[in-house]
Amino acid sequence: MAKVPVQFTLNGSEKAEFVESSTTLLHALRDKIGDTSPKGGCHQGTCGACSVIIDGELRLSCLTLAETCGGADIRTTAGLAESGVLHPLQRAFLDAFATQCGFCTPGMIMAAKVLLDRTPNPSREDVVEALSGNICRCTGYEPIIQAVLAAARANSQNAA
Amino acid sequence: MAIRRGRGVAAINYPTGMNLGGDPTQALVHSTPTGNFMVTLSSVDLGQGMKQIMAQICAETIGVPTDRVVIDTADTDTGPHCMGTFASRGTHRAGNAVIQAAKEARQVMLEVAAEELEVNASDLETDGEGNIQVKGAPQKSISIFDVALSAHFKRGRSISGRGMFLIPRSYPEKETGAMKPSTCYAHACTVAEVEVDDETGEVTVLTVKNVFEIGRALNPKMVEQQLVGGSWMGISHALYETTEPYYPSRDHGGTDFNQYLMPGPGDLAETEIIVLERPSADGPFGAKGPGEMCANPQIPAVANAVFDAVGVRIDTLPITPERILRALKAQAAG
């Protein structure tokens, strides 16, 4: 199959790859570019582990063809920490013990980031709604919900 | 037709480890040249926090901060033998092996320190912060960093230890059948409150209140984390999850997350966790195995709550609306 060139920005850095038309963004990110923070869980859009942010929108990278991402601004969990300082969401997930095996964590954090970018002071119901596309085997979700609410509180205290 | 409320209670006890041909786990501990400690295990951390717990156990035994211990669970080909991470045995079996290995390593460490300080090893103690000092005279001390350097480059000693923990196979007594199939038991009790719609068969779990007796909680936050997740998983097994919905027929099993029902964050019941600590005599620092048992009592508690609500006994899992409606129909037919 003919390969097509695609260029996009990943966590602020320019990336250029040759991909096949059938290559998913998940595959391109993990196996070509080497950003393994998005996880391949179900590869059919039902688990949320592969969630990334494309032009500000939460997207499932396993259902997104890489060649459709030309010129896009793509954000993953790997790009959240700045100069070794964890993003408030990452800090909150650690502090709340919101991760066990960790496989769902990057997707959860991406979903939570889109929520907090739009709704800085979410209600518990807002958080549950935002995470409803992501499934977790280990935690029972409650520690994750608490972590997102804690990150929102930390953000608003920093802003004040 | 109405929404009916019910409450169910269930209590369990749950064994730690198992009894096949004996239940062994080994551990090896050695120091690096700079006085960090490496624990080599074949036991696997599945996300339950085994590496953290083994680091705590090793650090506590040797007398160093936890961040001075590195856990290597990389390779079951090259590591010391372990039966595996299952049967809620990881903390108990591997923990006991790590204690034995760490004690031996600590003894060598104290012997080397004794030579450096020109005192008797039995007069030395660790301060828990990376130093070894003379009991009652803490001004006479040496850092473990320097002890490790001395052992490696001056005295030719290996600060290391071997640990082996074995529960031998238990055979039943011929007369009575009595045997000891496992070691210490963890215990749990759950009270579940549900609402059952007797028209649709749908069950909503309102509250789940759990008490867990787990020996000693070696890391209380991680214990709480596992119990919260386990309680939810128990509810999920009671009401939603199965690979074989019409068992023994294998048909119609879920093959992906569209068909295999797993609750999301919107399906949570109000959950309460209480931990009781009754340290076990044979566990590492009194620990038992809280892993699997924390997802058990919710299942009979929900079944009992459904019975309390609508008067039918569902004895096949999961307790689906279909099963409840069939049972209600049979009950009405008398």
Side-chain angles (χ1 to χ4, degrees):
Chain A
M1 195 181 291
K3 293 195 173 184
V4 291
V6 61
Q7 290 184 49
F8 51 75
T9 308
L10 176 63
N11 298 321
S13 306
E14 293 284 335
K15 299 289 175 192
E17 279 293 336
F18 286 100
V19 298
E20 294 175 349
S21 300
S22 60
T23 300
T24 64
L25 178 61
L26 176 66
H27 179 61
L29 289 176
R30 289 181 58 86
D31 300 323
K32 291 179 175 289
I33 294 170
D35 179 352
T36 54
S37 64
K39 305 298 178 194
C42 64
H43 297 275
Q44 60 176 183
T46 53
C47 78
C50 69
S51 300
V52 300
I53 303 172
I54 303 177
D55 294 330
E57 299 282 342
L58 189 67
R59 292 282 181 247
L60 296 165
S61 63
C62 77
L63 294 186
T64 305
L65 292 176
E67 70 167 327
T68 66
C69 296
D73 175 28
I74 300 174
R75 303 273 160 180
T76 67
T77 304
L80 282 184
E82 287 181 28
S83 312
V85 178
L86 293 181
H87 186 275
L89 271 167
Q90 293 172 304
R91 185 78 254 161
F93 267 64
L94 272 181
D95 291 344
F97 285 69
T99 177
Q100 284 187 42
C101 85
F103 203 78
C104 75
T105 308
M108 291 282 182
I109 287 180
M110 286 290 98
K113 182 167 189 310
V114 171
L115 170 71
L116 297 189
D117 286 348
R118 293 174 185 177
T119 313
N121 295 300
S123 66
R124 183 190 165 88
E125 289 69 32
D126 293 334
V127 175
V128 167
E129 175 71 25
L131 301 179
S132 63
N134 299 65
I135 56 177
C136 169
R137 175 78 281 177
C138 312
T139 63
Y141 301 102
E142 188 62 35
I144 297 175
I145 296 167
Q146 295 304 326
V148 177
L149 290 170
R153 283 195 299 274
N155 279 343
S156 61
Q157 277 166 10
N158 288 344
Chain B
M1 296 296 163
I3 290 182
R4 302 186 186 277
R5 189 176 279 227
R7 178 187 291 169
V9 59
I12 61 150
N13 48 28
Y14 198 91
T16 302
M18 44 119 223
N19 178 49
L20 295 174
D23 191 10
T25 287
Q26 296 183 29
L28 296 173
V29 172
H30 74 271
S31 92
T32 65
T34 53
N36 288 322
F37 286 86
M38 199 78 171
V39 180
T40 313
L41 295 166
S42 293
S43 322
V44 174
D45 192 332
L46 311 166
Q48 77 278 47
M50 180 157 198
K51 286 184 174 178
Q52 169 67 21
I53 298 302
M54 293 306 126
Q56 286 177 228
I57 288 174
C58 179
E60 183 74 19
T61 308
I62 294 182
V64 294
T66 303
D67 62 10
R68 297 285 291 269
V69 177
V70 177
I71 306 294
D72 175 12
T73 59
D75 193 333
T76 52
D77 273 348
T78 56
H81 173 250
C82 174
M83 286 295 281
T85 305
F86 61 91
S88 303
R89 65 189 292 287
T91 294
H92 190 277
R93 304 296 198 259
N96 276 322
V98 167
I99 286 177
Q100 190 184 46
K103 276 183 178 168
E104 188 179 336
R106 176 185 164 92
Q107 184 55 36
V108 179
M109 177 181 82
L110 292 180
E111 285 168 15
V112 174
E115 288 176 40
E116 289 294 321
L117 294 172
E118 298 179 3
V119 297
N120 195 318
S122 62
D123 291 332
L124 292 175
E125 64 184 6
T126 44
D127 71 351
E129 292 169 7
N131 302 292
I132 297 168
Q133 63 198 23
V134 175
K135 288 176 193 166
Q139 70 278 11
K140 195 166 176 60
S141 77
I142 183 172
S143 72
I144 290 173
F145 182 94
D146 286 335
V147 171
L149 282 181
S150 164
H152 277 81
F153 295 104
K154 204 160 113 193
R155 309 213 175 254
R157 300 286 305 269
S158 168
I159 301 179
S160 58
R162 301 152 296 171
M164 172 62 164
F165 188 72
L166 169 67
I167 298 293
R169 181 171 182 180
S170 167
Y171 292 92
E173 286 175 25
K174 279 182 183 149
E175 287 299 314
T176 62
M179 65 187 298
K180 197 169 186 297
S182 54
T183 48
C184 51
Y185 283 74
H187 307 90
C189 182
T190 293
V191 179
E193 276 188 302
V194 304
E195 278 181 352
V196 182
D197 185 326
D198 66 7
E199 187 173 3
T200 65
E202 204 165 341
V203 179
T204 306
V205 181
L206 303 172
T207 65
V208 189
K209 299 181 193 304
N210 307 281
V211 181
F212 299 105
E213 191 285 292
I214 52 120
R216 195 190 297 282
L218 299 188
N219 186 314
K221 280 301 287 183
M222 283 171 55
V223 164
E224 180 192 330
Q225 172 190 47
Q226 190 151 67
L227 299 182
V228 169
S231 177
W232 165 83
M233 199 188 286
I235 297 296
S236 188
H237 287 154
L239 295 176
Y240 306 110
E241 289 183 47
T242 178
T243 54
E244 293 163 334
Y246 296 99
Y247 186 81
S249 162
R250 296 281 159 92
D251 298 340
H252 306 290
T255 54
D256 59 39
F257 290 125
N258 286 317
Q259 299 162 355
Y260 184 92
L261 297 183
M262 234 178 104
D267 302 304
L268 299 184
E270 184 188 320
T271 301
E272 190 177 337
I273 303 285
I274 293 172
V275 175
L276 298 179
E277 293 183 277
R278 302 279 186 278
S280 69
D282 63 4
F285 301 102
K288 300 178 180 176
E292 290 158 297
M293 70 93 187
C294 65
N296 279 233
Q298 299 80 18
I299 301 169
V302 167
N304 286 338
V306 167
F307 176 72
D308 188 42
V310 291
V312 293
R313 282 273 169 216
I314 311 297
D315 56 8
T316 307
L317 295 175
I319 302 168
T320 56
E322 178 185 340
R323 290 196 171 113
I324 290 175
L325 291 179
R326 285 185 192 280
L328 286 172
K329 201 172 165 187
Q331 184 191 48

